[in-house]
C-alpha cells in the first residue's frame, strides 16, 4: 500500500509533469540573477555562493510544497486514503517520499552544479551536495506540513511562506555550516552534519503526524 | 455520566462560555487596577529611581521596556502552545479561542521587543538593525506569530482553522528551542569576537527590582488584554450564532 | 453486526442541520436517505465514515474487529470521482485494489463492464463511465458498510440496474448499505430516512 502510493504518484508525475521541472527553472533564475544584481566580482560571488544556492534550494522546495496534496484533495482521493488500512500518517510519509524523489533530491543534486556560475570553490562541490542531500529530506517533510495547511485555499501562498520559513532556518544554518565545513574547523563540519541527520530523523516521525492531523481537519 | 476528578471539575466549570463571562466580569476590574499600579511603580523605578549604567548611560533605560516585552513574547507563545494542546487533547471549548485571542497580543509584544531592541542597539552598533542572536530569534518568533494569526485569517471554516492552528501552534512551539539554538550557533560562527551582551555581564540589584516590577506589570497587562479579548471573542461568537439562526429561519 | 446511531446532531457553517437522529441497521439491511439539497445527507454519510464529528450523539458499530475504526470498514462513494485522468482505467482500479489491500482487479473491471475500456485513459471517459469506474471500487475489496452519495448520477438504465444488483448481492451477504439519493433506486431498502423532518425545531 505504501509502495502503491509511491508508484502511482511517480507515474502521474512522469506523465503529467509537476516534478522538479518548474523548481529547476526557479533555481536557475535565482542563480543567474544574483551575479547580474550584485556584480561579477569573483571574490564576492565565491563567498556568497553556498548561501545563495541553499536559499535557492529552500525557496524552490517551498514553492512546490503546495502541490503535494492538492490534486488528490481536489478529486477526492485524499479522503479515501484516509479510510484505508494504512494510517494517514504513512500516506503522508509516502507522499513526502515521492516529493523528495521527484523534487528535493534532484534539486539538491543539480543545484551544486550551478555553482560554476557563482564561482563556487571546487573543493566545496562535494560537501555542498552531500549537505543538500542530507537536508533535502527534512525540506520535503516540512513542505508536506506546509502543503497540508493551505489545502484548498486561494490565498495560501503567503501563509505557507511565513509558516515554513522559521522552520527552515535551522536547516539553512546547519546546512550552510556543513557545506563550508571543510574550509572551516572540523568539529563544525561534524556537528552540522549530525544536526542535519538529527533533523531528518526527527522530521520523519513528527512531520507526518502533524500533517495527518491537519489533513483530518480539512476533511471536516 | 462518569464521575469527574477534581481537576476535571475545575476545568469544566469554566468550559461554559457563560460561566467564563461571569468570572471575567468579576476579575477584570481588579486586573486593570493592578496593572495600572504596577506600571506606575515600574515606570517610576525604571525612569527615575534606577541608576544609569556605567557603560551605556541613560540608554540602559530601554532595557526596562525591551526585556519584559521579550519575556512576554515567549510567555504568550507558551500560552498559545498550552491552549493548542488543551484544544487537541481535551477538546475544551474555549481553548482555541484562548489561542486565537492571545496571538495578536503576543505579536504586538514581539514587535515592541523588536523595535526597542533595534533602538537600544543603534547607539552601540550604529545600525538600525543588527542580525545578532537575540534580535534574529525575536524576529523569527514574530514570523511564527504572524503565521499562526495567518491560519486563522486565511482558513474560512472556523472549526478547521481551530484544529489546524492548534497543530501548527504546537509545531512552532517545538521548533522555538531548535530555532534559538541554530541562531546562536550561526551567530557564534560569524562573530567569534565577544558581542556586547545586552544588559551587560550582570545586573545590579538596584537595576533588578524595576525590571522585575516592569515584568510583572507587563504580565498583568497581558492578562487584562487577553481577558478583554476573550470577552469580545465570546460575545462575537454569540452574535454570529444569532445572526445565522435568523438567516436559517 | 449492528450499526447504531444515537441522538446524532450535526452543525455546518453555524446552522443546525439535524438533531435527534437515530437509526439501527443490522447486517442485510439497507437505508435510503432522502431530503432536499443541503439538508445534511452528505454530512450524515461523512459522520458515519468518521470525517466529521457530530455535535452531539454517536455512531456505534457492534461486533467489529477491535483495531478497526468504522471508516476502515466502509466503502464511501462521494460526489467526487477519485479518478486520475492521466492513468488508464486499469491503472486506476489497480491502485485502489492495492491500496485497500489485495483487491480483485478483474472483479472491479467486470462490475460495470469496464473490461473493454481497461486500457483507455480515464481522462477520455464520459461522465457516466467515470461514475461506473468510481463505483467499481465497491467490488474490489469486501467491506461491510457501503455509503453511497448520489451513486446513480449520470448512470444509464443498464448501469443503474447493475448497481442495484450489486447492492442486493451485498445485502444478501450480510452487508449494510446506506444510500443518499434523489433518484429512484430499485434496491430492497428496509428503512427510509428523511432528513428534512429532523432539522432544528422539528422532530
Amino acid at each position: 500500500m505504501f509502495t502503491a502510493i509511491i508508484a502511482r504518484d511517480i507515474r502521474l508525475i512522469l506523465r503529467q509533469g509537476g516534478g522538479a521541472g518548474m523548481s529547476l527553472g526557479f533555481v536557475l533564475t535565482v542563480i543567474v540573477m544574483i551575479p547580474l544584481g550584485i556584480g561579477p566580482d569573483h571574490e564576492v560571488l565565491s563567498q556568497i555562493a553556498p548561501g545563495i544556492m541553499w536559499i535557492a534550494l529552500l525557496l524552490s522546495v517551498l514553492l512546490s510544497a503546495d502541490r503535494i496534496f492538492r490534486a488528490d484533495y481536489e478529486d477526492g482521493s485524499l479522503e479515501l486514503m484516509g479510510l484505508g488500512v494504512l494510517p494517514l500518517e504513512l500516506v503522508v510519509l509516502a507522499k513526502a517520499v515521492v516529493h523528495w524523489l521527484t523534487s528535493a533530491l534532484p534539486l539538491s543534486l543539480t543545484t551544486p552544479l550551478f555553482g560554476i556560475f557563482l564561482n563556487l570553490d571546487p573543493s566545496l562541490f562535494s560537501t555542498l551536495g552531500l549537505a543538500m542531500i542530507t537536508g533535502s529530506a527534512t525540506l520535503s517533510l516540512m513542505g508536506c506540513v506546509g502543503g497540508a495547511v493551505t489545502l484548498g485555499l486561494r490565498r495560501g501562498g503567503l501563509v505557507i511562506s511565513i509558516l515554513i520559513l522559521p522552520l527552515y532556518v535551522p536547516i539553512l544554518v546547519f546546512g550552510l555550516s556543513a557545506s563550508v565545513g571543510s574550509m572551516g574547523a572540523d568539529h563544525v563540519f561534524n556537528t552540522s552534519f549530525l544536526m542535519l541527520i538529527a533533523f531528518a530523523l526527527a522530521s520523519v516521525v513528527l512531520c507526518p503526524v502533524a500533517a495527518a492531523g491537519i489533513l483530518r481537519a480539512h476533511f471536516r | 455520566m462518569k464521575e469527574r476528578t477534581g481537576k476535571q471539575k475545575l476545568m469544566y466549570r469554566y468550559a461554559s462560555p457563560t460561566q467564563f463571562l461571569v468570572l471575567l466580569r468579576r476579575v477584570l476590574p481588579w486586573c486593570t487596577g493592578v496593572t495600572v499600579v504596577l506600571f506606575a511603580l515600574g515606570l517610576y523605578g525604571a525612569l527615575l529611581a534606577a541608576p544609569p549604567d556605567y557603560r551605556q548611560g541613560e540608554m540602559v533605560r530601554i532595557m526596562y521596556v525591551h526585556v519584559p516585552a521579550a519575556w512576554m513574547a515567549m510567555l504568550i507563545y507558551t500560552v498559545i502552545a498550552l491552549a493548542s494542546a488543551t484544544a487537541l487533547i481535551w477538546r475544551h471549548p474555549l481553548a482555541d479561542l484562548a489561542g486565537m485571542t492571545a496571538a495578536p497580543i503576543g505579536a504586538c509584544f514581539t514587535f515592541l521587543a523588536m523595535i526597542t531592541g533595534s533602538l537600544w542597539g543603534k547607539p552601540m552598533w550604529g545600525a538600525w538593525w543588527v542580525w545578532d542572536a537575540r534580535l534574529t530569534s525575536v524576529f523569527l518568533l514574530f514570523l511564527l506569530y504572524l503565521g499562526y494569526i495567518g491560519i486563522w485569517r486565511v482558513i474560512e471554516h472556523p472549526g478547521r482553522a481551530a484544529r489546524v492552528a492548534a497543530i501548527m501552534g504546537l509545531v512552532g512551539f517545538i521548533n522555538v528551542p531548535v530555532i534559538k539554538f541554530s541562531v546562536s550557533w550561526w551567530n557564534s560562527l560569524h562573530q567569534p569576537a565577544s558581542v556586547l551582551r545586552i544588559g551587560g555581564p550582570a545586573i545590579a540589584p538596584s537595576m533588578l527590582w524595576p525590571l522585575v516590577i516592569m515584568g510583572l506589570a507587563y504580565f498583568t497587562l497581558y492578562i487584562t488584554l487577553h481577558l478583554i479579548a476573550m470577552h469580545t471573542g465570546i460575545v462575537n461568537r454569540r452574535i454570529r450564532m444569532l445572526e445565522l439562526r435568523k438567516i436559517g429561519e | 453486526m449492528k450499526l447504531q446511531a444515537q441522538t446524532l446532531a450535526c452543525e455546518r457553517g453555524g446552522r443546525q442541520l439535524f438533531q435527534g437522529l437515530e437509526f439501527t441497521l443490522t447486517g442485510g439491511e439497507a437505508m435510503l436517505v432522502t431530503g432536499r439539497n443541503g439538508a445534511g445527507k452528505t454530512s450524515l454519510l461523512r459522520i458515519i465514515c468518521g470525517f466529521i464529528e457530530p455535535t452531539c450523539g454517536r455512531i456505534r458499530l457492534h461486533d467489529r474487529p477491535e483495531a478497526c475504526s468504522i471508516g476502515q470498514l466502509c466503502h464511501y462513494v462521494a460526489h467526487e470521482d477519485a479518478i486520475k485522468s492521466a492513468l488508464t482505467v486499469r491503472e486506476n482500479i489497480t491502485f485502489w485494489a492495492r491500496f485497500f489491500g489485495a483487491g480483485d482487479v478483474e472483479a472491479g473491471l467486470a462490475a460495470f463492464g469496464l473490461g473493454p475500456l481497461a486500457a483507455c485513459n480515464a481522462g477520455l471517459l464520459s461522465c457516466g463511465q467515470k461514475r461506473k469506474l468510481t463505483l467499481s471500487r465497491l467490488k474490489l475489496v469486501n467491506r461491510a458498510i457501503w455509503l453511497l452519495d448520489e451513486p446513480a448520477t449520470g448512470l444509464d438504465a443498464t448501469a443503474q440496474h447493475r448497481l442495484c444488483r450489486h447492492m442486493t448481492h451485498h445485502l444478501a451477504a450480510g452487508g449494510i448499505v446506506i444510500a443518499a439519493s434523489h433518484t429512484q433506486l430499485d434496491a430492497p431498502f428496509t428503512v427510509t430516512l428523511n432528513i428534512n423532518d429532523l432539522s432544528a425545531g422539528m422532530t
Side-chain angles (χ1 to χ4, degrees):
Chain A
M1 300 164 205
F2 192 78
T3 45
I5 300 177
I6 298 179
R8 181 197 74 157
D9 279 9
I10 292 184
R11 189 172 297 164
L12 279 172
I13 287 180
L14 288 175
R15 286 192 200 168
Q16 272 179 332
M22 192 179 85
S23 314
L24 214 58
F26 178 78
V27 170
L28 204 54
T29 313
V30 169
I31 288 183
V32 168
M33 289 289 178
I34 297 290
L36 291 173
I38 295 185
D41 184 342
H42 275 218
E43 283 294 310
V44 173
L45 283 182
S46 176
Q47 253 188 337
I48 63 174
I52 298 292
M53 295 199 292
W54 264 101
I55 293 172
L57 176 69
L58 284 183
L59 291 181
S60 47
V61 173
L62 195 58
L63 274 184
S64 63
D66 202 35
R67 279 186 269 118
I68 298 178
F69 296 112
R70 187 167 289 274
D72 277 339
Y73 179 69
E74 283 174 357
D75 69 12
S77 309
L78 198 58
E79 289 187 335
L80 289 181
M81 292 199 214
L83 295 179
V85 181
L86 199 67
L88 196 58
E89 285 79 4
L90 289 181
V91 172
V92 170
L93 192 59
K95 295 225 148 244
V97 168
V98 171
H99 185 257
W100 181 65
L101 286 174
T102 56
S103 284
L105 187 61
L107 282 175
S108 53
L109 288 171
T110 49
T111 308
L113 299 176
F114 294 143
I116 302 176
F117 291 124
L118 294 177
N119 195 31
L120 182 67
D121 192 297
S123 63
L124 291 182
F125 273 98
S126 49
T127 41
L128 186 64
L130 202 57
M132 280 187 168
I133 294 173
T134 319
S136 59
T138 320
L139 296 181
S140 277
L141 285 160
M142 287 189 175
C144 276
V145 176
V149 171
T150 56
L151 267 188
L153 293 175
R154 300 287 148 235
R155 294 183 287 164
L158 183 61
V159 175
I160 270 197
S161 313
I162 297 183
L163 272 175
I164 303 295
L165 216 64
L167 307 183
Y168 271 178
V169 163
I171 305 172
L172 177 62
V173 165
F174 286 105
L176 254 181
S177 61
S179 310
V180 300
S182 60
M183 300 216 304
D186 224 12
H187 78 278
V188 167
F189 183 69
N190 291 336
T191 322
S192 316
F193 247 102
L194 288 176
M195 285 304 290
L196 283 180
I197 295 176
F199 287 147
L201 293 174
S203 324
V204 165
V205 173
L206 295 175
C207 291
V209 173
I214 296 173
L215 289 179
R216 287 194 192 103
H218 280 292
F219 291 160
R220 289 165 126 228
Chain B
M1 178 88 146
K2 54 181 178 150
E3 275 300 296
R4 291 219 169 103
T5 64
K7 191 167 81 153
Q8 281 178 324
K9 279 195 184 124
L10 187 66
M11 195 164 67
Y12 281 102
R13 193 149 147 243
Y14 294 111
S16 146
T18 326
Q19 286 278 50
F20 190 74
L21 281 181
V22 166
L23 169 72
L24 228 148
R25 290 204 184 105
R26 247 187 289 155
V27 167
L28 201 54
W30 289 102
C31 276
T32 327
V34 171
T35 311
V36 170
V37 166
L38 280 175
F39 259 107
L41 259 176
L43 284 173
Y44 161 72
L47 298 175
L48 295 171
D53 184 64
Y54 76 96
R55 231 179 337 164
Q56 299 173 46
E58 298 290 338
M59 279 308 296
V60 78
R61 301 199 191 272
I62 291 195
M63 167 180 78
Y64 299 111
V65 179
H66 168 82
V67 172
W71 288 346
M72 281 302 111
M74 257 324 295
L75 179 77
I76 297 178
Y77 204 81
T78 315
V79 169
I80 292 180
L82 284 173
S84 303
T86 313
L88 287 174
I89 302 175
W90 290 290
R91 310 282 167 91
H92 194 284
L94 289 175
D96 52 340
L97 186 66
M100 179 178 91
T101 46
I105 304 174
C108 287
F109 275 115
T110 318
F111 190 61
L112 181 67
M114 271 168 57
I115 299 229
T116 48
S118 167
L119 285 174
W120 196 3
K122 175 77 165 66
M124 280 198 289
W125 300 307
W128 281 114
W129 182 263
V130 189
W131 290 99
D132 81 321
R134 165 183 252 139
L135 277 182
T136 313
S137 306
V138 171
F139 179 62
L140 289 173
L141 187 63
F142 186 59
L143 286 185
L144 283 176
Y145 272 113
L146 287 185
Y148 182 84
I149 297 174
I151 295 176
W152 281 103
R153 301 214 133 211
V154 168
I155 299 183
E156 278 144 18
H157 188 269
R160 233 179 250 190
R163 194 58 68 85
V164 175
I167 295 179
M168 288 311 289
L170 282 177
V171 167
F173 185 68
I174 294 175
N175 268 281
V176 163
V178 179
I179 293 176
K180 276 200 172 318
F181 174 60
S182 46
V183 168
S184 56
W185 164 273
W186 164 79
N187 208 42
S188 72
L189 284 182
H190 292 262
Q191 293 186 20
S194 62
V195 185
L196 273 171
R197 228 189 94 224
I198 296 183
I203 296 197
S206 54
M207 284 181 154
L208 191 59
W209 72 263
L211 191 62
V212 170
I213 300 218
M214 283 299 276
L216 288 173
Y218 272 55
F219 180 68
T220 46
L221 175 66
Y222 150 65
I223 297 276
T224 314
L225 290 174
H226 197 187
L227 290 178
I228 296 176
M230 288 286 280
H231 183 272
T232 316
I234 296 177
V235 170
N236 275 343
R237 277 190 180 174
R238 287 214 173 140
I239 294 178
R240 244 192 65 206
M241 269 201 317
L242 289 172
E243 278 178 349
L244 286 167
R245 207 165 283 170
K246 214 158 77 154
I247 295 176
E249 289 158 17
Chain C
M1 182 181 55
K2 199 163 70 152
L3 180 68
Q4 194 181 28
Q6 297 166 326
T7 58
L8 277 184
C10 177
E11 201 184 276
R12 304 286 285 166
R15 229 176 16 111
Q16 185 86 326
L17 288 179
F18 54 78
Q19 58 190 18
L21 194 154
E22 302 208 335
F23 65 78
T24 309
L25 293 171
T26 54
E29 291 188 335
M31 180 165 80
L32 177 67
V33 182
T34 57
R36 59 170 189 274
N37 290 331
K41 304 188 292 296
T42 307
S43 302
L44 174 62
L45 294 179
R46 291 174 76 85
I47 289 178
I48 301 174
C49 273
F51 289 142
I52 303 179
E53 282 148 18
T55 348
C56 172
R58 52 193 289 209
I59 301 269
R60 294 182 64 189
L61 183 62
H62 300 265
D63 310 321
R64 64 170 150 123
E66 269 313 307
C68 282
S69 65
I70 298 184
Q72 286 171 323
L73 297 168
C74 292
H75 264 308
Y76 176 46
V77 176
H79 287 285
E80 295 90 10
D81 285 332
I83 293 176
K84 294 296 179 193
S85 324
L87 299 178
T88 66
V89 168
R90 181 178 285 274
E91 284 169 343
N92 269 294
I93 290 194
T94 316
F95 168 69
W96 287 119
R98 285 177 71 191
F99 183 74
F100 286 123
D104 190 346
V105 176
E106 297 309 320
L109 283 172
F112 284 88
L114 290 173
L117 294 172
C120 285
N121 247 351
L124 300 172
L125 298 178
S126 72
C127 271
Q129 287 167 327
K130 283 185 183 165
R131 201 64 180 150
K132 285 198 242 183
L133 179 53
T134 314
L135 290 167
S136 310
R137 234 173 31 232
L138 296 169
K139 298 304 278 184
L140 283 179
V141 168
N142 199 14
R143 282 192 169 194
I145 305 173
W146 286 10
L147 300 169
L148 311 174
D149 200 346
E150 308 288 349
T153 324
L155 292 183
D156 56 25
T158 341
Q160 286 193 25
H161 217 65
R162 269 199 156 133
L163 174 64
C164 295
R165 228 182 38 217
H166 288 310
M167 278 162 60
T168 317
H169 281 168
H170 182 70
L171 292 168
I176 293 178
V177 174
I178 302 178
S181 184
H182 289 297
T183 55
Q184 271 289 72
L185 285 175
D186 205 5
F189 287 108
T190 338
V191 183
T192 305
L193 178 69
N194 192 326
I195 296 213
N196 288 340
D197 300 336
L198 290 163
S199 51
M202 296 185 267
T203 35

